[in-house]
Amino acid sequence: GNSVTQMEGPVTLSEEAFLTINCTYTATGYPSLFWYVQYPGEGLQLLLKATKADDKGSNKGFEATYRKETTSFHLEKGSVQVSDSAVYFCALKGAGGFKTIFGAGTRLFVKA
Amino acid sequence: ETGVTQTPRHLVMGMTNKKSLKCEQHLGHNAMYWYKQSAKKPLELMFVYSLEERVENNSVPSRFSPECPNSSHLFLHLHTLQPEDSALYLCASSQDRGTRDGYTFGSGTRLTVV
């Protein structure tokens, strides 16, 4: 079946550091891939998405590239801010399916 | 209102109580979902509705009873819950169940069962 594996947290960075959160997936066919972010006390918000191989999703300085050859969708940001402190979820939706599979989430702390 | 709105934001209930969670969306979406988020556990899909018809029930105990009277509203009726049911309950919606556009989530209801 489909699955998503993302790096365990927490990840602690200083402000302006480079961020990478790894995500790999297992799926048949060509799934859509997503990153969601959850700020404290809130629900999840869609951060970015990619629907086919080599697509790059980007938003608010974050980006992720759909790599079919390595079945990965790593999240990156060149310079994090304290306000980026949150939990980040990698997710997958199989082609023709109606369920989204979420990773376990990675908590990010950014120190001033 | 825009987005997905969940009420109440917080709920404390005894094990013998009956309560309901409400979710409302004004995005014109045709699919709605209930998720359970517990500490240190992955998001658990509970129910999926598409055009007001339940299309998925992930072996959820019968003490949770969903209702979708129309495509804009989704309820989760709760009765005789257990302490381990304490969690954040998230509602989400999408254009349709097959969309590749992702979900819009509400802010959740923090449920505590005492």
Side-chain angles (χ1 to χ4, degrees), chain A residues 12-46:
Chain A
T12 302
L13 296 173
S14 297
E15 210 165 21
E16 299 184 4
F18 185 87
L19 168 71
T20 300
I21 299 178
N22 290 339
C23 172
T24 57
Y25 68 90
T26 302
T28 54
Y30 295 87
S32 295
L33 302 173
F34 307 88
W35 278 101
Y36 287 83
V37 58
Q38 185 176 32
Y39 298 103
E42 296 295 324
L44 279 69
Q45 299 175 24
L46 179 63

Side-chain angles (χ1 to χ4, degrees), chain A residues 11-84:
Chain A
V11 174
T12 302
L13 296 173
S14 297
E15 210 165 21
E16 299 184 4
F18 185 87
L19 168 71
T20 300
I21 299 178
N22 290 339
C23 172
T24 57
Y25 68 90
T26 302
T28 54
Y30 295 87
S32 295
L33 302 173
F34 307 88
W35 278 101
Y36 287 83
V37 58
Q38 185 176 32
Y39 298 103
E42 296 295 324
L44 279 69
Q45 299 175 24
L46 179 63
L47 182 59
L48 54 83
K49 68 174 184 182
T51 57
K52 60 182 188 294
D54 300 324
D55 264 3
K56 178 185 284 188
S58 60
N59 186 23
K60 300 180 182 179
F62 291 89
E63 57 182 37
T65 301
Y66 188 142
R67 301 281 188 205
K68 187 140 181 81
E69 64 276 12
T70 54
T71 61
S72 65
F73 192 56
H74 304 320
L75 182 69
E76 296 181 335
K77 186 175 186 183
S79 176
V80 294
Q81 305 300 311
V82 172
S83 56
D84 293 325

Side-chain angles (χ1 to χ4, degrees), chain B residues 5-24:
Chain B
T5 303
Q6 289 188 245
T7 53
R9 288 295 305 269
H10 301 272
L11 177 63
V12 179
M13 61 185 288
M15 288 190 282
T16 58
N17 290 160
K18 289 185 180 180
K19 296 286 184 183
S20 296
L21 309 185
K22 180 181 177 182
C23 175
E24 189 172 355

Side-chain angles (χ1 to χ4, degrees), chain B residues 23-111:
Chain B
C23 175
E24 189 172 355
Q25 58 94 4
H26 297 283
L27 300 167
H29 289 172
N30 291 319
M32 297 185 78
Y33 312 81
W34 280 116
Y35 279 88
K36 177 183 179 182
Q37 186 177 34
S38 305
K40 303 188 188 300
K41 284 187 174 182
L43 276 167
E44 300 174 48
L45 177 64
M46 301 177 72
F47 299 103
V48 180
Y49 276 83
S50 177
L51 295 171
E52 302 133 55
E53 179 184 348
R54 189 192 307 181
V55 296
E56 178 77 10
N57 172 356
N58 266 10
S59 302
V60 177
S62 60
R63 57 186 184 269
F64 296 91
S65 174
E67 179 189 1
C68 187
N70 55 62
S71 59
S72 298
H73 294 85
L74 184 65
F75 296 89
L76 188 63
H77 303 300
L78 316 171
H79 65 96
T80 59
L81 294 191
Q82 305 298 310
E84 60 265 28
D85 297 323
S86 299
L88 181 67
Y89 288 84
L90 292 166
C91 175
S93 70
S94 64
Q95 184 61 48
D96 55 63
R97 63 180 186 164
T99 186
R100 289 176 167 251
D101 286 341
Y103 296 170
T104 302
F105 281 85
S107 296
T109 295
R110 174 69 62 185
L111 173 68

